[in-house]
Amino acid sequence: MKIALAQLNYHIGNFEFNTQKIISNIEAAKGKGADLVVFAELAICGYPPRDFLEFDEFISLCENAAREIAKHCTDIACIVGLPVRNDVLQGKDLFNAAYFIEGGKVKAITKKALLPTYDVFDEYRYFEPATRFKCIDFKGKRIALTICEDLWNINDNPLYVSNPMDELIKEQPDVMINIAASPFSYTHDEERIRVLADNAKKYKLPLFYVNQIGAQTEIIFDGGSLVFDAEGEKKAEMKSFEEDLQVFDLEEVESVRNKYPEGPRATDIEQIHDALILGIRDYFKKSGFTKAVLGLSGGIDSAVVCALACRALGAENVMAVLMPSKFSSDHSVQDALGLANNIGCMHEIIPIKEAAEAFDHMLAPAFKGLPFNLTEENIQARIRGTVLMAMSNKFGYILLNTSNKSECAVGYGTLYGDMCGAIGVIGDVYKTQVFELAKYINKEREIIPVNTIVKPPSAELRPDQKDSDSLPDYGILDKILYEHIELKKGSARIVAAGYDEALVTRILKMVNIAEFKRYQTPPILRVSPKAFGMGRRMPIVGKYMI
Amino acid sequence: MKIALAQLNYHIGNFEFNTQKIISNIEAAKGKGADLVVFAELAICGYPPRDFLEFDEFISLCENAAREIAKHCTDIACIVGLPVRNDVLQGKDLFNAAYFIEGGKVKAITKKALLPTYDVFDEYRYFEPATRFKCIDFKGKRIALTICEDLWNINDNPLYVSNPMDELIKEQPDVMINIAASPFSYTHDEERIRVLADNAKKYKLPLFYVNQIGAQTEIIFDGGSLVFDAEGEKKAEMKSFEEDLQVFDLEEVESVRNKYPEGPRATDIEQIHDALILGIRDYFKKSGFTKAVLGLSGGIDSAVVCALACRALGAENVMAVLMPSKFSSDHSVQDALGLANNIGCMHEIIPIKEAAEAFDHMLAPAFKGLPFNLTEENIQARIRGTVLMAMSNKFGYILLNTSNKSECAVGYGTLYGDMCGAIGVIGDVYKTQVFELAKYINKEREIIPVNTIVKPPSAELRPDQKDSDSLPDYGILDKILYEHIELKKGSARIVAAGYDEALVTRILKMVNIAEFKRYQTPPILRVSPKAFGMGRRMPIVGKYMI
């Protein structure tokens, strides 16, 4: 039996687009002689559909699309993910399910049992977990079909009390197929291979796994679909961050040779780089926009975002706006211009002096001579936000946010100022990783001026300001933040890991007091196992660690 | 047996505060001769603790607090809610539980089975559902203790496949106790009474129900704790939006007389009014702030928010900023001043002309003579946002957002402009309800100038602008929005309800295209069954209904 894995980029709720893409891949798989073509979890509507699932009409549109797809499943069978209604009165009204379609008809419906409800996942919000399991017979082979998380309950601290494969194995299947929507993080590709290999070994079955690719606002799917033999040896790995359609012979799975990637695995920074480019590109494509605007300060964050945006959208579609103030150093403008010239994007220089003076004058009666402080620093940042949004409004550019994860974490940014934007490009990338990204971007030639990389980071909102005036060294800061955010440690456990207690307490307080700011920030492209946004839900008026 | 119900206002993660409050109520209940005092769901840490629950140290702090509380449970028993660890390896690491404490020791632990995971609730994100159930024996009575949602599975389309009381009833209990964290919406109080009465009737047992009061950022708990007899007749209802401690005699529950409220039930608008005042007050109190700032335009939205803020915080703590532009009508300033004078709050007049001219001049080279359009309208709104945030930064005032639900819905507002603020006061109140609120606020004397109520709504961002230039009549708009947002209907079903198809399509498109704006708005005080924010999670780059 020949099995095609179709690793595709879906668009949430865009049924016409998804259906046409699925049908054209059914035809392509037929052309390649496949007996069965497998699409990802919730392929028909895209993942995650979130509260669209609560609209009855949305489910009907999924059903209509499936009927259209079924018409093309002659001379080939197909497995495709979609939400289906729960006919039983008790329990949630939907299942996260897959159709097995053969001879133009739905022959079997497989339902997901283990519903991820953590981090960015909310599946139990919508779906009833399956409690009954049955294999699918096709062309003399018995298929144990599961959906994503259903294979993920085999670690040391299992999150669920049941395990669907333990039921399915009783029917003595010949092969496992798993359809997934498994988002990227820089730790995830190797974990995925390990978990799936463990399944193949445990159940002594070959395993075909298909993932999605593409970004859905902040969540990025990286693909990397996989084939394992019954010993758990990885026989094939499909492309990362690209669509891919490959056909494998089940009978010959032992002799399949790894088709992709050749060579060593991509480093974390390479993966993050590729993920961010896909994230930017899909945000624009799926929103129907082509052009981006961003503020270019001469610092490293905006330089890296500018370089990524130019790769994602084409330099001709990126407008960099330089907005010097009286506190901007000469090198800021030089470095920003250097980057714009190296990379060939559009740029404008719009000094903010006039607006700053206007606010000073307008506010003088109310401020009654109080001294310059954070207020005036924030006004500068908000003038820049207003200028960027004006460029966005006037010309239809979409504003990219350039805040990094370290400053998002400690609240070192101005709400409605430098925290503006439609999508946060590097909001899940710590400052120390931003430096690595800059070096990676410069690996072949100097795109980001070296001075941008080597000079001390500064917000330049008051004379001779440096980040280090109010923040610890980023090398230390990022390590403490990682302990707290990714590893979910409170102060006692971080101190026990060898950090200064006063410093840890101060940083954790900064993080938790900034929750009100993060609530209002743009969605952030997720590249780590714990990004700010939907995947991290903290109280705002709580009083813990502050 | 005398049962005290302690209906209290907790603060998430503020263990010292919550513990002291619980202990002082234990002492007060003792003083009133109670045998048992009952506190709410997750009382020890406050509800909802969200991802604080993922910090191991947070759970330890709950345990420490419970030990402290137990010391005071001599001569009285207590039931109190807290998260407890799951000792079984399989499943989530926590239970949503309650301790039964007697003689200074934890005698029983009751775990929640039905975990609300919809709207604002995320309980399955953290908790393993209970599968075993046992009554508590105390002073010759057998108590069937359940936690909130555990009693809510008795409607026509049950959300869960199991029902904890169906198990507990087998042990022949004498009384039901339910501890809750059941948030306010203007429909919820009567639904709550009906569901709990149905339980009392179904199981033929008296029922004691204790809820929380107080606001936790956007979620407002209204209290209204209840006692029913075994026929399901409501025997007592405790205060709304206030702390309350009352003692009831189980043996005499039949003869308990309704203690509160006397008289007819509060109307929806009265309830919304009281909820918003509690929401504002608790946001400030729990954040450690006392003073608020807001922009006062002369329109009805900011007038209502100003009046609510003055009631919540005291007029002396509210700063209203008037920011006229060249498009502001004379009556705007007059009406705004009229309100400030009627109510006695602080005010400043800060015209925005200078900043508007500065931006015009700064942007002229980039804008190359393009005509005045939405860009310049937005610049005015953003100048006002910057002025308000400057007042906030300089003086420590917290900015109140004044957007109403109708404009949040259709995206009729400027991100980083009038959509700024720490908390959205009327973001869950439709424009037509805002008018009702204004009339309610004026019920005894004219606080909000009548002209503010009767004049046509306008953003005053261009000459002679009116909301009706770009939006349908609010009477129609709000009804269509309600069908879509509260009732979750797509266009076909709304049209079937009797609305114009072109209008419905246009409005639904406006709603769904504005998702990117709502993602970045402040938390919104929730008063309806479906508010924007945590309880409504929509894709941003999706393509459905747009």
Side-chain angles (χ1 to χ4, degrees), chain B residues 197-248:
Chain B
D198 285 351
N199 273 278
K201 274 184 272 189
K202 178 177 177 187
Y203 299 106
K204 300 188 175 62
L205 289 176
L207 168 56
F208 292 78
Y209 165 88
V210 68
N211 194 11
Q212 316 199 343
I213 79 116
Q216 310 287 2
T217 313
E218 67 273 65
I219 300 179
I220 301 165
F221 297 98
D222 58 335
S225 301
L226 293 156
V227 178
F228 296 87
D229 68 17
E231 278 78 48
E233 196 187 331
K234 188 181 79 175
K235 304 305 291 189
E237 182 170 6
M238 288 165 60
K239 290 179 186 169
S240 295
F241 305 111
E242 283 184 57
E243 292 195 334
D244 201 358
L245 174 72
Q246 293 193 29
V247 182
F248 305 95

Side-chain angles (χ1 to χ4, degrees), chain B residues 362-437:
Chain B
M362 275 162 54
L363 289 163
F367 281 7
K368 300 177 179 70
L370 288 165
F372 180 102
N373 68 355
L374 203 66
T375 306
E376 284 75 14
E377 295 190 36
N378 283 333
I379 288 173
Q380 295 169 64
R382 292 191 177 111
I383 291 169
R384 292 189 174 114
T386 300
V387 168
L388 291 168
M389 288 305 295
M391 293 295 286
S392 170
N393 292 159
K394 202 60 140 189
F395 298 105
Y397 302 132
I398 297 302
L399 177 58
L400 298 177
N401 174 278
T402 61
S403 305
N404 65 61
K405 189 172 189 173
S406 309
E407 60 192 23
C408 284
V410 296
Y412 194 76
T414 301
L415 203 49
Y416 323 127
D418 52 301
M419 293 176 76
C420 290
I423 184 88
V425 175
I426 54 168
D428 196 29
V429 183
Y430 287 117
K431 186 79 172 188
T432 44
Q433 294 174 305
V434 176
F435 282 100
E436 290 182 67
L437 263 180

Side-chain angles (χ1 to χ4, degrees), chain A residues 341-355:
Chain A
N341 289 331
N342 291 349
I343 213 162
C345 64
M346 300 177 278
H347 73 270
E348 289 275 359
I349 302 180
I350 304 177
I352 63 166
K353 182 166 173 277
E354 280 173 83

